[in-house]
Amino acid sequence: MFGNSYGNDRGNDAPIKEGGEYDVKIEDTGRDGDGIARIEGFVVFVAGAKVGDEVKVRVNSVRRNFGFADIVE
């Protein structure tokens, strides 16, 4: 069962969780203009962030292979 994500649509294997706050560095830009950060290799899209920004984010949604977060002000 280790690493088995069958039937797991809540992202339980992700190294982040909804509502969690993390310090990240924006490494890239997504096609919609969102910043992209990685937490333990897990991709997180950050609305309103630009490459090079170092920000604290709050995760608002976690999918199987990526998550979405907003900058904490």
Side-chain angles (χ1 to χ4, degrees):
M1 282 226 165
F2 293 108
N4 183 353
S5 60
Y6 293 111
N8 177 6
D9 60 359
R10 298 192 58 212
N12 290 339
D13 292 334
I16 63 173
K17 58 184 173 183
E18 286 185 23
E21 293 187 0
Y22 305 87
D23 292 312
V24 300
K25 182 171 184 178
I26 304 303
E27 302 172 0
D28 206 347
T29 303
R31 74 170 182 218
D32 293 334
D34 293 337
I36 296 175
R38 289 179 176 77
I39 300 171
E40 296 180 32
F42 192 79
V43 173
V44 180
F45 294 95
V46 182
K50 300 195 180 338
V51 173
D53 288 353
E54 293 186 26
V55 295
K56 179 177 283 249
V57 299
R58 180 177 297 121
V59 175
N60 53 39
S61 180
V62 179
R63 303 288 194 267
R64 182 175 293 166
N65 297 318
F66 57 91
F68 295 98
D70 292 316
I71 296 172
V72 177
E73 308 242 359

